[in-house]
Amino acid sequence: MSARRIRQLVLAGLVVALLGLGPSASGEHEWGWELLARDVLWEGVEFTIVQEPTPVRTHVVHVHPGAPVRVKPVVSAGRVGSTRETVSSMCARTGSVACINANFATCPTCHMPHGAVVRKFQFVQSPTDHQYQLKIQDGRMQTGPIEWSARLEALRPEGLQQLPITGVNIGTRRDQITLHDKNFGASTGSPPGTVELVVRAPTPQWTGGVRQRATVLRLETGGNATIPRRGAVLSGSGMGAHVLWAFARDNADVPLDLVVESPAGLEMAVSGHPPLLAGGVATELDQIDGKVTGLHPRTLVGWDDAGSMWFVVVDGRQAHSRGLTLDESRELLERLGATHGINLDGGGSSTMVTSCAQGWCVRNRPSDGRERLVPVGLAIVPPEKW
């Protein structure tokens, strides 16, 4: 037997102790947890299913410190706003070890995700003020806002003129100016009458700040402008259309710089709400919010300062599993060993997929009876798939 296989077997046994699932003489843990399944997915990565008598069924992927894997968002079809995709399709397409659903969608049938998506140090979608971000920054998993701003600068002889940009790849917004690049799709999808400035720019919107010379290609009003592969489209609607048109007219013959300011070291981000644990301290939850106090399927991420990460999906709205409140979700993360944690999109979207003998398998039972199409997933991948 190889040393690698021996290590895998040892790790498979450790998952029981690390999850607090050591069996009693009756085969169940003292808390009443019954171990239904466990598997080693990758070196340092274990998968476990446990059943509580309440009834609650929990699915956990535990990533140990130093495991040779990375965490990254997976956007449906590789483009925000274009379509939605099942978590199993995302997992198979990216060759991931395991995947869960991530960002909330802007509406039940919408393609657009809420909040930030940062992938490999690049803004796929900019953050929104009212959503917390689960992020890896400076090598540490953490939650919190992402300070972000963008603008187009005209370098006029008499001084600088600035045009604020509301967001990156968030779609066309009334009375605002937004930016779309290749991460959005082939075109902006904006309605006729939208003023759109098409520019060539050399690089994507990297985190840590970007200033790049933007060459104007054309100014359009027909809507649904084609996005250049090495460039972007600024879209103005309502008052934003008037402002963008005037800016483009007044600065037709001066150099323009596209500027994006954001934190350095921001490797990845998805959005979630609310945070549940911060440094071992319970966060305050709104006890009059039915989404907090109701029993629902849940998707959670927890971690500790030593580098362990727990990716958790709890079934709900079914006979075998009633779901959890967010207070119970926080208690679950604490029992697993997490000192930090956040809630991601739940309900019918809650899905966990792992690698298996058949390729990739849905390991939980989504409450819709099938996988829901979602805008963004969160994947655990080998380094070569990052």
Side-chain angles (χ1 to χ4, degrees), residues 7 12 17 22 32 48 85 117 126 135 148 212 215 249 271 273 275 287 290 295 300 324 332 339 366 372 380 383:
R7 186 177 181 186
T48 306
E85 189 177 359
V117 180
S126 56
K135 57 186 179 177
W148 174 93
Q212 51 188 313
T215 303
R249 178 198 61 201
S271 73
H273 186 78
Q287 298 300 326
L295 296 171
L300 315 165
L324 295 178
L332 170 62
T339 53
R372 184 178 288 184
I380 302 163

Side-chain angles (χ1 to χ4, degrees), residues 18 32 61 100 168 173 203 213 220 232 253 289 338-339 354 374-375:
L18 289 167
V61 172
I100 58 174
V168 170
R173 304 287 178 91
T203 65
R213 185 57 47 89
E220 303 181 3
D253 299 318
D289 185 346
T339 53
T354 74
V374 298

